[in-house]
Amino acid sequence: MATALLLTLTGCQSEPADTPRSVGEFSEPKAWSSSDMAQASPYDMTMPDGSDVDERVSDPEPKAVPAEPEQAPYVDNAAVLGKVFFDTPAGRRVCSGTAVTDPAAPGASSLVWTAGHCVHTGRTGDFYRNIVFVPSFNNEALPTVSSADTGKREISPLGVWWADRAAVSTGWAREGEEIGGAGAAFDYAVLHVRRSGDPTASLEKTIGFAIPVVVAAPAITKIPTLKVWGYPAEAPFGGNLLFSCQDRPGRLSIAEKDPTLYRIGCTMNGGASGGGWFMGRDDGTLVLISNTSVGPNKTQWLAGPRLGDEAEKLLTTVGAGKNTEADADAGTETG
């Protein structure tokens, strides 16, 4: 039987001229009210049921693992997890995200890991707007969240953090599409955030800890179990509660030219996109090795990218050790 993973406080060539923009900088957005957050629709990337995959490098489809609710209050049990809200041309949307460590700011990180499709449109080349992160969203696990029945402190006990910088992988910027799984092997993003009303605050210090990102995880077949968290928002879920799934990962190949993805059985759905995938180390601590990217319409499983060298570079590009030369090469976006 797999060991349970718990999330607690104890624990150089230039790009071609036509390379899509993968780094953005933003001004502080208009305030998100609690009713705005309640109205945001879940955002997910789906594959048609029964999509063909390369069986030579894909394992059999896993059995569905029922999502389990996280114990409240979230600030005590899963404070680094939260919701990512953003504006798209089609309306307000919501995903999930994780507070992660910044190699250039030990103990004082303000970085959030999420899916690329929660930040950027992919091959059409646009960043979304008014991106914010709310750690421990709905801390007391209230069944409904709106301005009419709950106060701001209950919704955002650790504050609302807006993204002033963001970066997605170049693979997502080149290939990513909302439907069909294109670019899923590169579907990750990093946000640098500031707290509204207190722009010098550190996200990691405010929460009390952050999760390290590991880009050289063992081979998929060598990992005994992964645990995935998120805020699923499509029926039968309502988007207000934090859930998790735990399973032994298998392999999924969507395109032969792209890296193989992790895949686990899980019934979470839209809104869980971007949520962190965690592996336990020998010392009992957790590290983030992926994020929720894609799943089928029947919500039997979820898949996430296997991180490589570019993922590590994104942390530098967006974090306190920001690579200003890389920013200049990639171009910036304001809004």
Side-chain angles (χ1 to χ4, degrees):
M1 180 178 293
T3 302
L5 300 184
L6 303 178
L7 182 59
T8 64
L9 202 145
T10 54
C12 155
Q13 286 184 323
S14 61
E15 298 284 355
D18 60 351
T19 296
R21 179 176 291 127
S22 59
V23 179
E25 295 189 357
F26 311 91
S27 56
E28 185 168 5
K30 60 182 178 60
W32 279 78
S33 69
S34 55
S35 59
D36 290 336
M37 293 177 184
Q39 294 168 11
S41 301
Y43 204 50
D44 61 345
M45 186 167 65
T46 60
M47 293 176 60
D49 294 338
S51 295
D52 290 334
V53 294
D54 185 345
E55 293 296 340
R56 290 172 298 174
V57 294
S58 291
D59 294 315
E61 192 172 272
K63 295 181 179 179
V65 173
E68 296 289 339
E70 182 59 61
Q71 182 179 352
Y74 298 153
V75 293
D76 293 338
N77 300 297
V80 294
L81 279 300
K83 296 183 78 167
V84 176
F85 296 91
F86 52 101
D87 283 338
T88 77
R92 290 173 174 147
R93 297 290 186 266
V94 62
C95 284
S96 301
T98 307
V100 297
T101 58
D102 182 348
S109 174
S110 286
L111 298 184
V112 174
W113 194 276
T114 189
H117 74 264
C118 301
V119 173
H120 187 282
T121 62
R123 66 182 184 85
T124 55
D126 291 327
F127 280 91
Y128 296 124
R129 298 291 190 272
N130 301 326
I131 305 169
V132 299
F133 175 65
V134 184
S136 295
F137 177 85
N138 189 24
N139 181 51
E140 299 296 331
L142 301 175
T144 59
V145 174
S146 74
S147 58
D149 59 14
T150 187
K152 182 177 179 182
R153 183 172 180 80
E154 292 171 306
I155 298 172
S156 51
L158 300 172
V160 175
W161 300 73
W162 61 276
D164 66 342
R165 294 196 297 277
V168 298
S169 72
T170 53
W172 175 256
R174 287 194 186 102
E175 300 180 20
E177 293 183 355
E178 181 179 351
I179 303 296
F186 313 104
D187 186 19
Y188 52 85
V190 181
L191 308 174
H192 181 275
V193 297
R194 297 181 182 272
R195 186 163 62 186
S196 297
D198 188 6
T200 63
S202 156
L203 178 62
E204 182 176 4
K205 288 182 177 179
T206 299
I207 292 174
F209 71 121
I211 298 295
V213 177
V214 169
V215 300
I220 296 173
T221 55
K222 301 294 185 181
I223 300 175
T225 188
L226 290 177
K227 194 164 185 177
V228 177
W229 274 271
Y231 283 83
E234 297 175 339
F237 304 100
N240 296 319
L241 304 178
L242 181 62
F243 284 82
S244 67
C245 293
Q246 183 169 317
D247 195 15
R248 185 182 185 95
R251 297 166 293 183
L252 171 66
S253 176
I254 297 175
E256 287 192 26
K257 65 182 180 60
D258 292 340
T260 302
L261 287 81
Y262 301 97
R263 180 166 61 171
I264 67 165
C266 186
T267 60
M268 287 196 290
N269 54 25
S273 286
W277 290 43
F278 299 87
M279 179 185 73
R281 291 192 287 201
D282 291 340
D283 62 3
T285 60
L286 298 182
V287 292
L288 184 147
I289 65 168
S290 187
N291 56 264
T292 296
S293 171
V294 66
N297 291 323
K298 61 184 177 182
T299 63
Q300 178 174 332
W301 52 262
L302 296 174
R306 192 167 192 271
L307 306 181
D309 291 343
E310 187 178 11
E312 189 169 32
K313 292 176 182 177
L314 290 193
L315 295 170
T316 302
T317 300
V318 179
K322 146 177 165 171
N323 184 339
T324 54
E325 181 179 350
D327 286 348
D329 289 343
T332 59
E333 185 97 3
T334 59

